[in-house]
């Protein structure tokens, strides 16, 4: 099943998403950070989504995948498989099974879209805070490029040359 759905999602995943993806490793994420800071110092928001795998909403994840039929039923079965803790079976109402072969892919699917949320926020940065000059400081495209987002599994960094922008991003509650 993983071999069936992973190529589809690999084609869709955001460009700065690393971690538990074929051909992408921690060193790639680090290199991307270096590229972002090598020409100009930046402020950094370093964040981790607490208990990410444990709190993934099953229904939201299933809606996001848009799968129907047997694929949807199989994913639902994995999500509801439950866990054994201290010889006691516990049902799983949310989260992805720890150690499951497909769990990292399901977590990446659940987190897909986070970069776009941050980039949409970047479009709203006031021109005087962008660090851009001339006509570019009003361009949504240039504003999006002024803010760097890099995610490795449930950890991410956001980089920008203005500390106030980083603080505003930190206040976003749609994570």
């Amino acid at each position: 099943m993983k071999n069936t759905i992973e190529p589809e999602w690999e084609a869709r995943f955001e460009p700065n998403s690393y971690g538990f993806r074929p051909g992408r490793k921690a060193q790639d994420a680090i290199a991307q950070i270096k590229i972002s800071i090598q020409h100009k110092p930046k402020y950094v928001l370093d964040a981790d989504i607490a208990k990410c795998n444990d709190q993934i909403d099953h229904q939201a994840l299933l809606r996001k995948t848009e799968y129907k039929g047997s694929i949807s039923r199989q994913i639902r079965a994995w999500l509801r498989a439950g866990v054994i803790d201290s010889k006691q079976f516990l049902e799983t109402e949310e989260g992805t099974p720890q150690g499951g072969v497909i769990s990292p892919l399901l977590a990446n699917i659940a987190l897909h879209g986070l970069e776009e949320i941050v980039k949409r926020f970047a479009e709203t940065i006031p021109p005087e805070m962008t660090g851009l000059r001339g006509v570019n400081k009003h361009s949504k495209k240039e504003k999006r490029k002024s803010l760097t987002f890099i995610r490795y599994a449930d950890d991410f960094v956001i980089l920008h040359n203005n500390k106030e922008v980083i603080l505003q991003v930190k206040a976003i509650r749609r994570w």
Side-chain angles (χ1 to χ4, degrees):
M1 182 67 72
K2 179 181 179 229
N3 291 339
T4 300
I5 65 175
E6 188 172 52
E8 172 193 348
W9 282 95
E10 281 301 316
R12 294 168 67 175
F13 284 146
E14 295 162 313
N16 288 308
S17 162
Y18 301 89
F20 307 109
R21 293 187 55 200
R24 290 176 165 245
K25 52 191 181 295
Q27 292 86 345
D28 298 324
I30 293 166
Q32 200 60 32
I33 292 169
K34 182 180 182 227
I35 289 168
S36 178
I37 62 173
Q38 71 185 11
H39 296 295
K40 190 171 186 178
K42 304 270 176 101
Y43 290 94
V44 178
L45 170 63
D46 182 9
D48 174 88
I49 302 172
K51 299 186 180 194
C52 176
N53 286 349
D54 296 337
Q55 297 182 12
I56 292 173
D57 181 306
H58 291 179
Q59 294 309 313
L61 177 61
L62 290 166
R63 280 192 304 274
K64 188 178 242 183
T65 66
E66 298 178 347
Y67 293 124
K68 306 287 185 231
S70 63
I71 294 176
S72 177
R73 285 191 299 276
Q74 184 61 59
I75 292 172
R76 184 176 288 116
W78 278 321
L79 293 171
R80 293 189 175 158
V83 295
I84 297 177
D85 186 21
S86 300
K87 298 182 181 181
Q88 181 180 0
F89 176 79
L90 303 169
E91 291 187 20
T92 46
E93 301 289 324
E94 60 184 3
T96 59
Q98 293 290 336
V101 172
I102 201 163
S103 295
L105 174 59
L106 294 176
N108 273 326
I109 292 170
L111 295 171
H112 176 68
L114 199 52
E115 181 175 350
E116 183 57 29
I117 290 169
V118 171
K119 292 295 185 170
R120 268 192 252 128
F121 164 80
E123 294 176 1
T124 69
I125 298 171
E128 64 276 7
M129 296 173 75
T130 63
L132 301 169
R133 295 196 169 104
V135 72
N136 284 344
K137 69 182 180 182
H138 297 286
S139 163
K140 285 184 178 182
K141 181 179 177 182
E142 293 301 316
K143 287 179 179 183
R144 287 172 73 95
K145 288 186 348 187
S146 76
L147 193 144
T148 303
F149 175 92
I150 300 162
R151 179 175 68 82
Y152 188 90
D154 63 346
D155 298 299
F156 62 91
V157 294
I158 299 172
L159 303 105
H160 194 270
N161 64 345
N162 188 306
K163 184 177 180 179
E164 185 60 34
V165 170
I166 292 296
L167 293 172
Q168 288 177 15
V169 171
K170 186 177 178 183
I172 295 173
R173 293 292 177 221
R174 290 187 54 200
W175 304 113

